[in-house]
Amino acid sequence: QVQLVESGGGLVQAGGSLRLSCAASGSIFSINAMGWYRQAPGKQRELVVAITSGGSTNYADSVKGRFTISRDNAKNTVYLQMNSLKPEDTAVYYCNADVRLNNGGSYVYRYWGQGTQVTVSS
C-alpha cells in the first residue's frame, strides 16, 4: 500500500559528503514522523535521526553537527545530508515513515525502505 524508495548511497572517502533521499508513495493520507536508521554489520539497527511533520528533529549524538535531516511534505520525501563522514558511519541506511493510510481509518502504520549502502573509506 505504501512504498519507500531510497537513493543516494555509495562509497565516499572519510571527510566527504553524501545526500540520501527517500520518497514515499501509495495510499497515503498523511505522514507523521519520518526518519533514518542504520545498521552496521554485526550491530543492531539504530536511530540516526527522526523528523516530525512539524519539523522537530531528534538526532543521535554520534551524528549531531554532521548530519542534517529535512523533508518536503508536498513530495512525501525525506532527505539526509551527511557531511564529515567517518568510517564508523559505514552501514546500510533505512528510511521509515509513520503513515496514515488513505482508507478512511485513523491507524498509523510504520513503513520501511529497502535500505541503501553507505561505505566510508579511511
Side-chain angles (χ1 to χ4, degrees):
Q1 291 171 310
V2 175
Q3 298 80 40
L4 272 61
V5 178
E6 299 145 343
S7 60
L11 173 65
V12 65
Q13 288 188 331
S17 299
L18 284 174
R19 186 180 190 233
L20 306 183
S21 300
C22 173
S25 63
S27 301
I28 299 169
F29 177 79
S30 63
I31 300 178
N32 296 347
M34 303 183 80
W36 291 94
Y37 282 69
R38 66 187 181 187
Q39 187 167 19
K43 294 188 177 181
Q44 290 188 332
R45 190 174 297 190
E46 63 176 2
L47 173 69
V48 177
V49 58
I51 184 169
T52 68
S53 57
S56 297
T57 57
N58 178 31
Y59 288 89
D61 288 342
S62 59
V63 305
K64 284 181 180 177
R66 300 188 298 121
F67 291 11
T68 303
I69 191 171
S70 60
R71 64 187 282 178
D72 184 333
N73 291 330
K75 296 182 179 180
N76 291 331
T77 299
V78 64
Y79 306 94
L80 183 63
Q81 178 66 44
M82 304 185 294
N83 298 329
S84 302
L85 282 160
K86 304 175 181 180
E88 50 264 44
D89 294 318
T90 295
V92 178
Y93 284 69
Y94 299 89
C95 71
N96 69 7
D98 294 335
V99 179
R100 182 178 171 187
L101 297 178
N102 191 21
N103 60 3
S106 60
Y107 196 79
V108 176
Y109 298 86
R110 173 160 289 187
Y111 291 90
W112 291 87
Q114 80 284 358
T116 185
Q117 177 71 45
V118 171
T119 302
V120 184
S121 63
S122 57

